[in-house]
Amino acid sequence: VSAALREGQTTPTELCQKCLALIKSTKFLNAYITVTEETALKQAEESEERFRRGQPLGVLDGIPVAVKDNFSTAGIETTCASNMLKGYISPYNATVVQKLLDQGAVLVGKTNLDEFAMGSGSTDGVFGPVRNPWSYSRQYKEKSASKSHSEDEESKWVIAGGSSGGSAAAVSSFTCFAALGSDTGGSTRNPAAHCGVVGLKPTYGLISRHGLIPLVNSMDVPGILTRCVDDAAVVLGSLAGHDPKDSTTIQDKFKPFELPNLPDVSKLSIGIPKEYHAPGLSSEILALWSKAADLLKNAGAKVIEVSLPHTRYSIVCYHVLCTAEVASNMARFDGLEYGHRSDTSKSTESMYAATRREGFNAVVRGRILSGNYFLLKQNYEQYFVKAQQVRRLIANDFRKVFGSGVDLLLTPTTLTDAAPYTEFIKEDNRTRSAQDDILTQAANMAGLPAINVPAALSERGLPVGLQFIGRSFQEKQLLTVAKWFEKQVEFPMIQLEEMMRHDHGVLQHQKSASFS
Amino acid sequence: LDHLERLALVDFRDSEGVERLQKAIQFADQLHEVNTDGVEPMDSVLEDRCLYLRDDDVTEGNCTKELMKNAREKVEEYFVAPPGNIPLPKLEERDTSLEGS
């Protein structure tokens, strides 16, 4: 579509208007918290001016994008789907947002998430749950034995995954061409798998976290969601690199890259970690994983089984480290400088306590309390330090495997396809997160890059993805293999009946997944 | 529980909250199955690199007006807080005292 813009087949304002219209018509997905209609149109007009002068800023100029609502956006409400920040207008742009805007991208809105990015379903935010667009696809509807009618349809919608569910749903439903998410335990890859889009978690330290409201400082990364791997590479190219405002970004110069048209995997060694055959893994996904391994073998790659023995402890380890860092990071929300403030004014402490009880939901409060428990002097060694030691063991597992000549790992991304909302909410957030993050968490623990590539549709007609985990800072290799895989599987396009009714011109451009 | 609530300045709200913490602790206890003798705790995955330092020059700031916009209670350029050094009421009385909120 970027080429279309350059050639004048369409204009940024036209594109922007179509996306905005689509957002309106897919409102039931609840993917967006804030739609920035006015500023988007203004940005689109500015972009159009540039195209008219023949001076577009780059591939991203004029492209509608969405950003998860835990990234600060100047002048635009940034809520983290929490009462604590409802109405909070950020005074600055997160570095990644600024970079996108500097490239001419058009910000159409802030997407929905689990409150403060805690969760794996995008169901626990104050603005309500995000619905997976595939719930409304022909593919899903055909497979759900429908002797039933519309009342049942209401209750059968499936979750989008989390916590960047809004971003994934936005990309999946064509309302934008790329979206930013965040990934701390799988929060970008999980919804990407459930919504059938590409979800990239870059290496920790590659992309700036300045402006990303932190969850776990040592594991958070901004995530990229797009409809194809090439797009992810383009977005990565515009975001990666050292940021003086984030001292956890590495100083090495980042060289943006383009992926080969005919990726070659024959010289690679792919590891299949046996521990990722976790309990609860659906037989469909297991079969898909196997098939993928065979595909790679047939293409000449060396595919071997490897072992990451501490995999099953990564969730427990994450649980302790995450809650501990959360307890610290959430301490800034006291109602004094920004955000919600309680009316209680008997004392500073009671004001803080009341503000926090009103502002945070049960999940957040639960994690803060757990975190404080693990950080108590009596518990510090046994839990927090212990978890840090286990973290090293997990990181070492990966180091050993990569050191033995393996270039990448191939694993499933999720245990099953997306669950119906009514099923999902039967268990509490912590249990769900513990179950769903199992395959994605370890990459965050070790800071490694990982990507979800949509692989096939399940028996229920829902997307299932597979994950590649790469070596630190080897995103080019990771994306090359991901692109190869994408070409092999030819994942079907979502057939949204609502959209079918729209004028065909819209679809022409929206469907062109690649905008490079 | 009282100690935790004071430290965190967040309340359990009800027995469900307490139960949740108990389950969380039980879950975390699984860590003790792992043998970590002689293992150095890991703070950051970037531990092999040097932290970035820059010169101590002022490069930005002077955005007082912008920042004050987000505060609810302020006087000139001060954030206003209720009186300090007053400890939270004891656990039993706490809920009623926070009831107003």
Side-chain angles (χ1 to χ4, degrees):
Chain A
V1 80
S2 182
L5 285 174
R6 258 174 290 144
E7 287 160 26
Q9 284 168 26
T10 182
T11 66
T13 38
E14 220 174 74
L15 202 52
C16 181
Q17 279 160 349
K18 285 173 183 171
C19 282
L20 289 172
L22 202 50
I23 294 177
K24 281 204 190 88
S25 66
T26 51
K27 213 156 176 206
F28 53 90
L29 294 178
N30 203 17
Y32 287 84
I33 294 179
T34 308
V35 181
T36 51
E37 198 166 323
E38 266 180 48
T39 52
L41 286 168
K42 198 160 142 283
Q43 286 162 2
E45 274 166 24
E46 289 168 6
S47 170
E48 198 157 311
E49 221 346 87
R50 292 191 288 267
F51 275 100
R52 241 177 268 150
R53 283 186 274 121
Q55 297 171 334
L57 293 166
V59 180
L60 286 173
D61 206 333
I63 304 290
V65 297
V67 159
K68 187 174 178 183
D69 209 12
N70 59 353
F71 285 93
S72 296
T73 41
I76 300 172
E77 194 180 1
T78 300
T79 65
C80 294
S82 173
N83 275 319
M84 188 58 91
L85 289 177
K86 240 194 206 163
Y88 167 69
I89 311 268
S90 170
Y92 69 105
N93 273 327
T95 299
V96 289
V97 173
Q98 191 62 54
K99 286 192 173 187
L100 286 177
L101 294 176
D102 287 343
Q103 288 286 309
V106 173
L107 180 65
V108 290
K110 307 295 293 296
T111 57
N112 204 352
L113 57 153
D114 278 306
E115 185 159 338
F116 280 110
M118 299 189 199
S120 58
S122 298
T123 49
D124 277 315
V126 289
F127 296 100
V130 178
R131 299 185 183 206
N132 191 329
W134 284 83
S135 319
Y136 301 95
S137 68
R138 180 173 299 165
Q139 289 107 328
Y140 178 61
K141 288 188 189 163
E142 277 170 7
K143 295 294 179 110
S144 36
S146 298
K147 332 144 184 169
S148 48
H149 311 279
S150 42
E151 330 107 34
D152 252 9
E153 197 178 270
E154 247 312 286
S155 63
K156 281 212 285 259
W157 62 268
V158 297
I159 56 163
S163 58
S164 313
S167 289
V171 173
S172 169
S173 57
F174 301 105
T175 58
C176 62
F177 285 80
L180 290 185
S182 67
D183 196 312
T184 306
S187 294
T188 292
R189 292 160 285 154
N190 178 297
H194 286 317
C195 292
V197 297
V198 171
L200 170 65
K201 173 212 169 294
T203 312
Y204 180 84
L206 186 63
I207 299 187
S208 172
R209 287 181 302 111
H210 175 75
L212 166 60
I213 297 174
L215 185 64
V216 181
N217 296 75
S218 64
M219 293 184 224
D220 284 352
V221 288
I224 298 172
L225 292 135
T226 55
R227 290 196 280 277
C228 71
V229 178
D230 275 323
D231 289 355
V234 170
V235 179
L236 180 68
S238 66
L239 297 181
H242 177 65
D243 181 15
K245 294 186 186 164
D246 178 357
S247 61
T248 57
T249 52
I250 57 158
Q251 291 179 259
D252 303 358
K253 197 131 193 357
F254 176 75
K255 289 187 224 88
F257 50 81
E258 253 183 55
L259 300 173
N261 268 324
L262 298 166
D264 173 25
V265 299
S266 57
K267 301 188 189 60
L268 296 174
S269 168
I270 313 282
I272 310 283
K274 60 181 188 196
E275 290 84 1
Y276 278 67
H277 185 351
L281 186 64
S282 86
S283 48
E284 280 187 297
I285 300 189
L286 184 58
L288 199 59
W289 189 16
S290 219
K291 225 173 93 181
D294 288 337
L295 274 173
L296 285 159
K297 236 179 274 181
N298 294 336
K302 186 168 129 196
V303 179
I304 53 174
E305 191 187 75
V306 295
S307 173
L308 297 166
H310 295 94
T311 302
R312 66 198 184 92
Y313 293 108
S314 92
I315 283 293
V316 191
C317 186
Y318 176 64
H319 171 68
V320 175
L321 293 179
C322 173
T323 50
E325 292 219 30
V326 160
S328 167
N329 281 326
M330 296 294 128
R332 70 194 66 188
F333 298 107
D334 55 19
L336 274 184
E337 302 94 342
Y338 45 74
H340 176 69
R341 177 176 174 143
S342 163
D343 292 322
T344 315
S345 54
K346 291 197 203 99
S347 71
T348 315
E349 298 235 340
S350 67
M351 190 279 277
Y352 287 175
T355 299
R356 290 154 72 83
R357 106 199 293 243
E358 291 161 24
F360 292 139
N361 73 2
V363 177
V364 181
R365 279 181 292 121
R367 290 204 193 187
I368 295 176
L369 287 164
S370 304
N372 275 98
Y373 179 81
F374 297 130
L375 289 172
L376 288 174
K377 280 206 203 122
Q378 72 207 59
N379 294 330
Y380 195 78
E381 286 275 337
Q382 288 179 283
Y383 289 99
F384 186 69
V385 177
K386 182 87 184 177
Q388 288 190 308
Q389 290 173 308
V390 175
R391 181 175 188 177
R392 182 175 298 281
L393 292 175
I394 294 172
N396 284 346
D397 279 355
F398 282 105
R399 201 170 297 159
K400 264 185 228 137
V401 167
F402 284 131
S404 71
V406 170
D407 298 299
L408 291 125
L409 299 170
L410 169 66
T411 78
T413 314
T414 52
L415 293 175
T416 61
D417 54 7
Y421 176 71
T422 45
E423 277 300 308
F424 187 79
I425 50 174
K426 286 191 186 152
E427 291 277 359
D428 77 48
N429 183 290
R430 188 185 57 78
T431 318
R432 282 298 178 209
S433 302
Q435 294 166 342
D436 300 330
D437 289 345
I438 236 169
L439 303 169
T440 49
Q441 214 299 303
N444 294 84
M445 208 45 95
L448 300 170
I451 187 171
N452 169 76
V453 185
L457 291 184
S458 70
E459 262 177 34
R460 288 163 62 215
L462 296 171
V464 166
L466 288 178
Q467 171 178 239
F468 288 97
I469 304 176
R471 298 181 192 213
S472 279
F473 303 109
Q474 299 303 314
E475 271 79 358
K476 182 167 184 193
Q477 187 179 70
L478 180 69
L479 288 169
T480 303
V481 178
K483 179 169 176 177
W484 177 87
F485 185 68
E486 180 184 62
K487 277 183 184 289
Q488 293 292 311
V489 297
E490 293 177 334
F491 186 75
M493 186 159 334
I494 185 175
Q495 286 161 19
L496 281 174
E497 308 195 311
E498 321 286 323
M499 282 180 50
M500 296 292 172
R501 289 186 228 123
H502 266 245
D503 94 274
H504 247 263
V506 182
L507 296 186
Q508 259 248 287
H509 292 294
Q510 309 291 49
K511 274 190 181 180
S512 55
S514 167
F515 61 103
S516 42
Chain B
L1 292 185
D2 182 50
H3 187 47
L4 272 180
E5 281 200 357
R6 267 174 214 280
L7 275 182
L9 282 179
V10 153
D11 68 316
F12 284 96
R13 190 72 53 99
D14 51 32
S15 60
E16 204 190 307
V18 182
E19 241 181 75
R20 212 179 286 134
L21 178 61
Q22 284 173 323
K23 285 209 200 105
I25 299 171
Q26 270 177 338
F27 187 65
D29 283 332
Q30 288 174 71
L31 274 182
H32 301 123
E33 292 168 17
V34 187
N35 180 349
T36 53
D37 292 336
V39 180
E40 270 297 299
M42 180 183 239
D43 291 314
S44 161
V45 293
L46 299 176
E47 60 189 0
D48 295 330
R49 294 173 187 257
C50 272
L51 201 59
Y52 166 73
L53 289 177
R54 66 183 183 119
D55 292 328
D56 190 10
D57 293 322
V58 175
T59 51
E60 52 179 27
N62 289 323
C63 46
T64 321
K65 252 193 6 209
E66 289 263 323
L67 295 179
M68 296 306 293
K69 274 196 210 145
N70 279 310
R72 224 186 77 170
E73 311 231 358
K74 50 201 174 205
V75 167
E76 292 183 0
E77 290 181 355
Y78 293 92
F79 295 113
V80 179
N85 271 327
I86 301 173
L88 271 184
K90 288 209 180 48
L91 190 59
E92 307 79 54
E93 306 155 13
R94 204 171 295 154
D95 276 332
T96 37
S97 94
L98 293 180
E99 196 71 11
S101 51

